[in-house]
C-alpha cells in the first residue's frame, strides 16, 4: 500500500478541525435562541393594591368544652388523660352505677305493676259497661269503673316517666365525648365522689380554629368598612384561609380596643390554641404600587433582587428593596424597579441562561 505524503495528512487534519469548530459554533447559535425563548417573563405594572395594617392575634379553638357529671356517684374509670386524643362518641369516664341501676330496676317494677293495674282496670270497665248496657247495675258502678281506669292510666304514665328518668340517670354514669379532640385538663381523680355539675374533663377540638385580635379604636372604623383580613403563621409567608369575621359591638374600657374574631376554614395544620399569629387587616387601596411575584425574587447572601431583561432580551440581576406582602404570592417593591420593565418569573432559569450567554461570549473571544 502506498503511503500518503506527510504534508497532505496535516492539511486534511486541519480541515477536519476547522469543520468541527464551525459545526460547534453553528450548534451554539442554534441553542442560544432556544434557551431565551423558553424564559418566562412578565411586565411589571403599578396597580392599586390593598393597604394593610398588621396586628398581633392569638389562636383559640372554636369547640372547647368541659364535660361535667350529671348524676351523683364515685368515679370508677378514667379512660383518658391530659394530651390524649379522644374520638367523638367515646366514653371518657364512668361513674359507679349501682345506685342508678337499682333505680332502673325499681322503676321497671313500678312500671310492670302499673301496667298490670291498667290492664285490670280496662277489663273491669269493659265488664261493667256490658252489664250496665243491660241495665243490671246502677250508673254509679259504671262511673267508678271509668274513674278507676283513668287512675290506672295516670299511674301507668307516671311509671313510664319514672322509668325514663331512671334510664337517663343510668346513662349519665358514662360520660361521652361530644366531638373529637384533645384532653387539656382532668379535674377529678379515680375514686373521687362527684355530684351533678362537678367538672370531670376539659377538651378542645383542633379541627376548627379562630383568631382573636384586639383592634385599636382609631382603626376599627376602616376594619369594619373593608371586612377583610389575612392571617399569617409565624415564619410563613402564606396566608391561612379565612372563613368569616365577627366584630364585637363594644370596646374594652381598659384598652379602648375592639375585639375582632376571625374564623378560619377547617383543616388548618400546625396551628394550636394559644399561638400568636400576624393578622393583616385591609384598610383601603394604595394606588401606584409596584409589585412582583414572590417566586421571581432571588436572595443571594445579603442581596435581594430580580432578573430584569434589557432591550436585547438578556436577563441581568438587579438589587431591589421589598415592602409588605400583598397576597399569597405577591410582594410590593419599594425601590430598584419601575413599572413597564420586564422581569424573569423563574430566577433559576434566568441564572442558567445568563451563565450560558457569558460562556458563549468567552468562547467567541
Amino acid at each position: 500500500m502506498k503511503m500518503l505524503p506527510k504534508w497532505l495528512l496535516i492539511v486534511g487534519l486541519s480541515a477536519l478541525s476547522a469543520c468541527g469548530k464551525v459545526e460547534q459554533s453553528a450548534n451554539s447559535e442554534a441553542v442560544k435562541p432556544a434557551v431565551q425563548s423558553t424564559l418566562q417573563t412578565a411586565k411589571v405594572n403599578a396597580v392599586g393594591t390593598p393597604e394593610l395594617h398588621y396586628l398581633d392575634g392569638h389562636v383559640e379553638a372554636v369547640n372547647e368544652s368541659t364535660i361535667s357529671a350529671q348524676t351523683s356517684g364515685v368515679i370508677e374509670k378514667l379512660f383518658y388523660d391530659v394530651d390524649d386524643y379522644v374520638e367523638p362518641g367515646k366514653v371518657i369516664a364512668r361513674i359507679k352505677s349501682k345506685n342508678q341501676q337499682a333505680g332502673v330496676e325499681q322503676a321497671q317494677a313500678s312500671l310492670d305493676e302499673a301496667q298490670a293495674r291498667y290492664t285490670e282496670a280496662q277489663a273491669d270497665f269493659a265488664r261493667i259497661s256490658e252489664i250496665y248496657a243491660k241495665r243490671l247495675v246502677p250508673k254509679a258502678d259504671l262511673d267508678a269503673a271509668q274513674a278507676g281506669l283513668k287512675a290506672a292510666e295516670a299511674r301507668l304514665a307516671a311509671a313510664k316517666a319514672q322509668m325514663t328518668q331512671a334510664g337517663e340517670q343510668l346513662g349519665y354514669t358514662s360520660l361521652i365525648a361530644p366531638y373529637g379532640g384533645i384532653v387539656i385538663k382532668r379535674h377529678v381523680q379515680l375514686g373521687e365522689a362527684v355530684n351533678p355539675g362537678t367538672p370531670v374533663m376539659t377538651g378542645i377540638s383542633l379541627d376548627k380554629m379562630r383568631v382573636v385580635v384586639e383592634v385599636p379604636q382609631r382603626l376599627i372604623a376602616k376594619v369594619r368598612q373593608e371586612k377583610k383580613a389575612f392571617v399569617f403563621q409565624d415564619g410563613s409567608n402564606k396566608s391561612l384561609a379565612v372563613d368569616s369575621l365577627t366584630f364585637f359591638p363594644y370596646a374594652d374600657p381598659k384598652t379602648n380596643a375592639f375585639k375582632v374574631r376571625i374564623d378560619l376554614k377547617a383543616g388548618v395544620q400546625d396551628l394550636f390554641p394559644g399561638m400568636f399569629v400576624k393578622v393583616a387587616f385591609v384598610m383601603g387601596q394604595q394606588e401606584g404600587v409596584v409589585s412582583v411575584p414572590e417566586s421571581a425574587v432571588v436572595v443571594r447572601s445579603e442581596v435581594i433582587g430580580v432578573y430584569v431583561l434589557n432591550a436585547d432580551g438578556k436577563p441581568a440581576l438587579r438589587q431591589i428593596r421589598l415592602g409588605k406582602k400583598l397576597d399569597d404570592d405577591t410582594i410590593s417593591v419599594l425601590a430598584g424597579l419601575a413599572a413597564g420593565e420586564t422581569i424573569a418569573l423563574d430566577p433559576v432559569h434566568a441564572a442558567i441562561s445568563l451563565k450560558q450567554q457569558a460562556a458563549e461570549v468567552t468562547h467567541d473571544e
Side-chain angles (χ1 to χ4, degrees):
M1 183 176 178
K2 188 177 180 180
M3 299 293 293
L4 293 173
K6 186 176 181 180
W7 65 269
L8 185 58
L9 291 174
I10 295 174
V11 170
L13 291 173
S14 300
L16 289 173
S17 176
C19 290
K21 289 182 178 180
V22 171
E23 184 178 357
Q24 183 178 1
S25 177
N27 291 337
S28 298
E29 292 297 330
V31 171
K32 179 179 177 181
V35 172
Q36 291 184 0
S37 63
T38 58
L39 189 62
Q40 295 183 348
T41 62
K43 185 163 289 188
V44 178
N45 295 321
V47 296
T49 56
E51 182 181 352
L52 303 178
H53 188 90
Y54 288 79
L55 294 173
D56 290 328
H58 69 272
V59 180
E60 64 180 25
V62 173
N63 294 321
E64 179 177 349
S65 57
T66 298
I67 307 299
S68 301
Q70 293 180 273
T71 187
S72 300
V74 175
I75 297 295
E76 183 180 34
K77 291 283 186 181
L78 289 170
F79 297 98
Y80 297 93
D81 206 340
V82 175
D83 204 34
D84 288 341
Y85 177 78
V86 183
E87 295 182 357
K90 292 292 185 179
V91 178
I92 60 175
R94 181 171 287 130
I95 300 172
K96 190 174 292 185
S97 59
K98 288 186 178 180
N99 291 336
Q100 288 79 4
Q101 185 64 46
V104 170
E105 293 173 358
Q106 183 179 359
Q108 183 64 54
S110 299
L111 178 61
D112 293 341
E113 180 184 3
Q115 183 67 55
R117 296 293 184 187
Y118 177 70
T119 302
E120 181 183 11
Q122 278 184 316
D124 288 344
F125 179 72
R127 185 176 64 255
I128 295 298
S129 296
E130 185 178 351
I131 297 175
Y132 176 75
K134 298 177 181 180
R135 297 292 189 269
L136 298 178
V137 293
K139 181 70 165 52
D141 291 347
L142 179 64
D143 293 340
Q146 187 175 15
L149 178 60
K150 289 183 178 180
E153 185 177 3
R155 285 193 294 269
L156 178 61
K160 288 180 178 180
Q162 290 177 358
M163 184 64 189
T164 300
Q165 184 178 9
E168 286 286 334
Q169 291 297 317
L170 180 60
Y172 290 153
T173 59
S174 295
L175 281 72
I176 309 296
Y179 50 80
I182 305 292
V183 178
I184 62 173
K185 192 171 184 179
R186 178 167 58 87
H187 302 276
V188 296
Q189 302 293 332
L190 192 66
E192 184 176 341
V194 295
N195 294 310
T198 302
V200 177
M201 283 189 187
T202 300
I204 59 173
S205 172
L206 300 180
D207 294 333
K208 188 75 172 167
M209 294 290 176
R210 63 191 178 197
V211 177
V212 177
V213 188
E214 298 290 337
V215 179
Q217 179 178 333
R218 59 186 174 84
L219 302 176
I220 191 62
K222 279 287 187 180
V223 171
R224 286 180 182 273
Q225 180 181 345
E226 296 295 335
K227 296 181 180 179
K228 190 174 182 180
F230 301 96
V231 178
F232 299 96
Q233 285 182 258
D234 188 24
S236 174
N237 292 326
K238 187 175 181 180
S239 64
L240 304 175
V242 174
D243 196 6
S244 62
L245 275 72
T246 303
F247 300 92
F248 284 60
Y250 57 87
D252 188 332
K254 296 181 180 179
T255 62
N256 300 117
F258 287 80
K259 184 181 292 185
V260 177
R261 193 171 63 198
I262 304 171
D263 291 325
L264 303 176
K265 291 188 180 297
V268 178
Q269 300 296 323
D270 300 325
L271 199 66
F272 301 94
M275 292 177 61
F276 278 95
V277 293
K278 284 291 183 181
V279 179
F281 287 103
V282 177
M283 307 298 290
Q285 288 289 321
Q286 187 176 3
E287 300 298 332
V289 176
V290 175
S291 62
V292 295
E294 191 173 13
S295 56
V297 178
V298 60
V299 179
R300 290 184 178 176
S301 185
E302 297 182 357
V303 176
I304 300 175
V306 292
Y307 282 95
V308 182
L309 275 68
N310 59 18
D312 297 330
K314 297 180 179 179
L317 182 61
R318 184 189 297 175
Q319 186 175 1
I320 60 174
R321 185 158 60 93
L322 297 177
K324 297 179 179 179
K325 280 185 64 67
L326 304 178
D327 53 38
D328 290 344
D329 191 43
T330 306
I331 191 165
S332 63
V333 178
L334 302 179
L337 196 63
E341 294 187 287
T342 302
I343 63 171
L345 296 179
D346 187 350
V348 176
H349 194 181
I352 295 174
S353 177
L354 190 60
K355 288 182 179 180
Q356 288 179 348
Q357 293 173 13
E360 292 169 3
V361 171
T362 303
H363 178 73
D364 292 341
E365 292 177 352

